[in-house]
Amino acid sequence: MPLAIASVPNSDPHTAYLDYLSRTGRGNTAYSTAASTFFKRWPDPGRWAAEPLQVRLSAGSATRPIITFLMLHQGLRPGYDYLLERKLSSIWREVQDSPLAADLDRFMTAAADLGFTERVRFATGSQVPVRLLIQTGLRLEQLTLADLAEFTAACHDRQGRTGKGHHHYLAAASNAQRVLFHLGVLDELPRAGGPVPFAERLAQVRPPIRTAMIAYLDRKRATCRPKTVSTIATRLKHFGEFLAGIDPDLDSVAALDRRKHIEPYLTSMADVLNTKNGESITVADRSRRVLALMGFLTDITEWDWPEAPPRKLLFRDDIPRLPQTLPRYLPVDIDRRLTQILTKSPGNELAAAALRLQRACGLRIGELLDLELDCVHEVPGHGSWLKVPLGKLDTERMVPLDEEILELIDHITHTRSHGRPLPHPRYRRPAQFLFTHHGRRLGQNAVRAELDRAAGLAGLEHITPHQLRHTYATALVNAGDSLQALMALLGHMSAEMSLRYGRLFDATVRSEYERALDLAKQQALTPATGRTSLPLRDITGGKDWKDTPLLKSRMAGGFCLRAPAQGACAYANICEHCPSFHTEPSSLPILAAQRVDADALARDAEQRGWIAEAERHKQLITRLDKLISEATTG
């Protein structure tokens, strides 16, 4: 790396150094002797800066104060290779009366305003801005991204040359860039890794297959979000690597064979392990991998690509059937205990407040962290509302707020770190986000870590942020919220998405269960006569058939003539079509009463938005009307 040439003032640096020692009271014979020796060998300090690194580092402990003085007061630029090898342990004492003091004070004040702790501020200040100001000879406001890039390049060069780790320097450089951004010195924030190129991600896939997959992914970027394309790339990579293992000579996607390639891949997924937990991948993950592959093959066929297979290779039956699971909500006692810990003993205060807001408004984690500072809207006569930004389904919505949530949002605005607007990841326009700390947006990993910490203190198992959204929706269902309101609050596109919560606590199912359970208990307490035959009329005794012991006695539209000895009924739930089912005119009052009950239940289900439940009651009403008509005419 080229070394900077020192810019030494016209005054004699040796004399200036001796005056400095006398003025600060640090002078002694060892320092004076070392200074004489140094200036005798290098009258021009710039010649010392041009020496090889080992020569520059060979100066003894008594000589280093001279070099530090020349760097801070006389404009000596020793090179980043030297600065990265020196610890500069006394820099904060030496820099106080130097030309660099004002710039460093400005940097440290800005870092404190962004929420950096004292330890991080002093570590960052001594590791990056001090070295930048010394080597460049510029003022703080004159620094550029090129200067920061030169520093990071020197860090990489040092690691390659010496094998010493440079992560602490790179982390400090990232912090310094954030501080300089909020000071208005730089216009870009540090990049957080950035996307890995498709060619690198698919490196283990055979070149002919990799080329087709990369072309497909590039095409999908035109219509899909970057995260969606990245997910497709990951799932196609699994298939490509599988092909490289079982058929290394495969030279085209068009040469794929179902028996040779597709079916073995489908079979192998049953034994694939998750790299994070060592368990088998879920059925949902298997389904998503199959769907990604099916989409790839279907799309290139419809686009008439020459790489497309000549026949269809995947079918609907190849997609694993997903289990119909219910939302995983937190029970009331666990929900209360978790909220108390997040309120009274937060580890990361901002992340804990974010989780409380997510629970209070039912937000997805992406929507939560995309909230902007002006997300609260006051509507005259209608209270306060939270504007939820575009999320998973690319829709915005408004969620009503109460005073408790408004107080929480006020607490968040006082806790967050202030600074310049940050680029919005979706629009790239500057935006003031609600959740910012240390000059950057709060990340999902920080939120998940805080939830794990709180769950551990509460003695709970692993909890995901999305379960807080399920808990919010479940609480609304229990409180009798309608389907339409639930859809609006959760941002669902279809009633089916919201009906999942309605199935958790269906009041109709509960009431029907309790009615049937009470009837079953009454029948169990009724002593049996021990009779197993079932004639329609007991000729010897002259008893009516209605007095015969039955498996089901009186029903909605008549009587069931089935005996316990006949076993399970093959006509369950369709009794009016069963040959053992009989009606009589005397059952008309019962049918009419059941008709009124069914009509009331149907109206109640419609008001609650339970479409499927209302439809079932309407079907029952139709059957009862038919039975009433038959009983009346028969």
Side-chain angles (χ1 to χ4, degrees):
M1 176 172 292
L3 302 177
I5 304 301
S7 176
V8 182
N10 294 329
S11 60
D12 180 16
H14 189 182
T15 303
Y17 176 64
L18 295 177
D19 292 342
Y20 171 77
L21 293 179
S22 176
R23 185 174 69 255
T24 58
R26 298 172 189 162
N28 56 44
T29 304
Y31 278 31
S32 302
T33 303
S36 300
T37 302
F38 178 87
F39 286 108
K40 183 177 181 179
R41 182 174 179 181
W42 295 292
D44 179 5
R47 296 179 58 186
W48 171 87
E51 295 281 2
L53 177 62
Q54 294 303 322
V55 175
R56 282 173 281 155
L57 292 174
S58 62
S61 58
T63 307
R64 289 186 176 181
I66 305 169
I67 299 173
T68 300
F69 168 81
L70 294 174
M71 292 189 301
L72 296 178
H73 297 269
Q74 299 291 309
L76 176 63
R77 304 180 188 180
Y80 282 126
D81 54 352
Y82 175 83
L83 289 170
L84 291 173
E85 293 296 334
R86 282 282 308 275
K87 291 185 177 182
L88 304 181
S89 55
S90 63
I91 195 68
W92 292 111
R93 182 182 69 247
E94 303 291 342
V95 79
Q96 293 305 315
D97 61 347
S98 73
L100 278 60
D103 286 337
L104 284 177
D105 286 343
R106 182 184 174 197
F107 180 91
M108 297 294 285
T109 301
D113 292 339
L114 293 177
F116 287 100
T117 63
E118 183 179 11
R119 184 183 65 84
V120 175
R121 293 200 304 270
F122 277 92
T124 301
S126 63
Q127 289 173 344
V128 180
V130 165
R131 288 172 165 83
L132 287 174
L133 295 175
I134 289 174
Q135 183 60 29
T136 61
L138 302 173
R139 298 294 305 272
L140 188 69
E141 63 271 11
Q142 296 174 318
L143 295 176
T144 65
L145 286 173
D147 297 323
L148 204 59
E150 185 179 0
F151 175 81
T152 56
C155 294
H156 289 289
D157 179 72
R158 173 179 177 268
Q159 184 184 33
R161 185 180 67 254
T162 65
K164 297 179 180 179
H166 63 297
H167 295 293
H168 60 295
Y169 278 121
L170 296 182
S174 178
N175 292 339
Q177 184 173 348
R178 264 185 277 145
V179 175
L180 293 174
F181 171 83
H182 288 282
L183 278 172
V185 176
L186 303 179
D187 293 328
E188 292 185 18
L189 285 166
R191 297 183 180 274
V196 179
F198 292 138
E200 184 177 342
R201 294 179 63 177
L202 304 177
Q204 303 302 318
V205 181
R206 298 293 298 168
I209 310 298
R210 180 171 66 242
T211 301
M213 288 183 175
I214 292 176
Y216 173 74
L217 294 170
D218 287 337
R219 164 60 185 82
K220 296 296 286 186
R221 290 174 57 193
T223 53
C224 298
R225 296 175 61 183
K227 186 177 180 180
T228 302
V229 180
S230 176
T231 303
I232 296 174
T234 300
R235 291 165 186 163
L236 291 181
K237 180 192 73 170
H238 296 309
F239 178 66
E241 293 177 349
F242 175 81
L243 292 179
I246 66 168
D247 190 2
D249 298 328
L250 185 66
D251 58 358
S252 173
V253 176
L256 286 173
D257 180 78
R258 179 173 172 87
R259 291 295 300 274
K260 186 177 180 181
H261 304 114
I262 302 299
E263 292 181 1
Y265 176 64
L266 297 176
T267 304
S268 69
M269 281 194 289
D271 301 321
V272 174
L273 299 180
N274 189 319
T275 56
K276 294 182 179 179
N277 55 26
E279 300 177 355
S280 298
I281 60 174
T282 63
V283 177
D285 194 5
R286 291 166 53 192
S287 175
R288 288 190 285 264
R289 293 187 186 190
V290 175
L291 287 172
L293 177 58
M294 181 181 289
F296 167 62
L297 297 177
T298 301
D299 286 343
I300 64 175
T301 301
E302 293 178 350
W303 299 341
D304 198 23
W305 282 18
E307 298 89 345
R311 62 179 297 272
K312 189 174 182 180
L313 299 177
L314 278 166
F315 302 89
R316 183 175 297 275
D317 288 343
D318 294 325
I319 304 173
R321 184 175 180 179
L322 297 179
Q324 299 298 319
T325 57
L326 291 173
R328 293 185 300 162
Y329 69 98
L330 300 179
V332 176
D333 56 336
I334 293 178
D335 180 32
R336 185 183 302 112
R337 193 189 325 163
L338 185 65
T339 302
Q340 289 175 350
I341 292 177
L342 290 174
T343 304
K344 296 180 179 179
S345 58
N348 183 331
E349 187 175 3
L350 188 64
L355 290 167
R356 291 166 55 197
L357 184 61
Q358 182 182 18
R359 166 61 184 88
C361 299
L363 308 179
R364 301 179 180 93
I365 189 170
E367 298 169 341
L368 174 74
L369 299 180
D370 280 349
L371 288 174
E372 298 186 32
L373 199 57
D374 59 351
C375 59
V376 177
H377 294 250
E378 188 74 26
V379 181
H382 296 279
S384 300
W385 297 75
L386 180 73
K387 180 183 179 183
V388 182
L390 295 176
K392 176 182 178 182
L393 302 180
D394 288 330
T395 58
E396 292 182 333
R397 65 183 187 278
M398 303 292 284
V399 176
L401 305 176
D402 57 21
E403 291 299 325
E404 185 177 353
I405 303 177
L406 289 174
E407 291 180 5
L408 174 60
I409 295 177
D410 288 340
H411 170 70
I412 293 171
T413 57
H414 287 91
T415 305
R416 65 185 292 273
S417 65
H418 303 275
R420 289 178 63 188
L422 306 176
H424 197 288
R426 185 185 290 267
Y427 312 109
R428 305 309 302 171
R429 61 171 173 77
Q432 282 283 11
F433 291 99
L434 181 63
F435 294 100
T436 56
H437 73 121
H438 298 162
R440 62 181 176 183
R441 295 179 60 196
L442 184 66
Q444 290 192 17
N445 290 337
V447 175
R448 297 180 193 278
E450 176 60 19
L451 183 58
D452 288 340
R453 186 201 67 83
L457 291 178
L460 307 175
E461 297 181 353
H462 176 65
I463 297 175
T464 65
H466 203 71
Q467 286 180 262
L468 302 180
R469 174 175 164 87
H470 290 321
T471 306
Y472 168 82
T474 303
L476 292 178
V477 170
N478 284 340
D481 202 9
S482 67
L483 176 64
Q484 291 82 358
L486 189 64
M487 289 178 59
L489 292 172
L490 296 179
H492 284 164
M493 299 292 291
S494 66
E496 184 63 26
M497 299 174 70
S498 299
L499 279 173
R500 296 175 63 233
Y501 299 97
R503 296 192 189 104
L504 275 172
F505 300 100
D506 193 327
T508 304
V509 172
R510 179 76 182 190
S511 61
E512 289 295 316
Y513 164 76
E514 291 177 348
R515 182 191 62 79
L517 183 62
D518 291 341
L519 181 60
K521 289 179 179 179
Q522 293 174 8
Q523 292 176 348
L525 295 175
T526 303
T529 62
R531 186 176 178 182
T532 58
S533 61
L534 188 62
L536 292 182
R537 183 175 296 277
D538 189 345
I539 299 176
T540 59
K543 296 180 180 179
D544 190 83
W545 57 270
K546 290 181 290 183
D547 298 327
T548 306
L550 306 170
L551 181 66
K552 298 178 183 178
S553 57
R554 186 178 297 275
M555 299 186 65
F559 297 88
C560 178
L561 306 184
R562 191 173 185 80
Q566 292 178 267
C569 179
Y571 292 89
N573 301 322
I574 54 173
C575 294
E576 65 272 18
H577 302 296
C578 174
S580 299
F581 185 76
H582 292 262
T583 62
E584 61 177 2
S586 62
S587 65
L588 279 173
I590 300 175
L591 292 173
Q594 290 291 335
R595 171 69 167 75
V596 172
D597 291 343
D599 186 61
L601 290 172
R603 289 197 304 270
D604 181 69
E606 287 182 338
Q607 291 175 358
R608 292 175 178 269
W610 297 343
I611 307 302
E613 187 66 26
E615 186 63 27
R616 286 196 293 270
H617 288 303
K618 289 180 180 179
Q619 293 175 1
L620 176 59
I621 292 172
T622 302
R623 292 199 297 270
L624 289 171
D625 288 340
K626 180 180 178 182
L627 291 173
I628 292 173
S629 176
E630 292 176 353
T632 302
T633 58

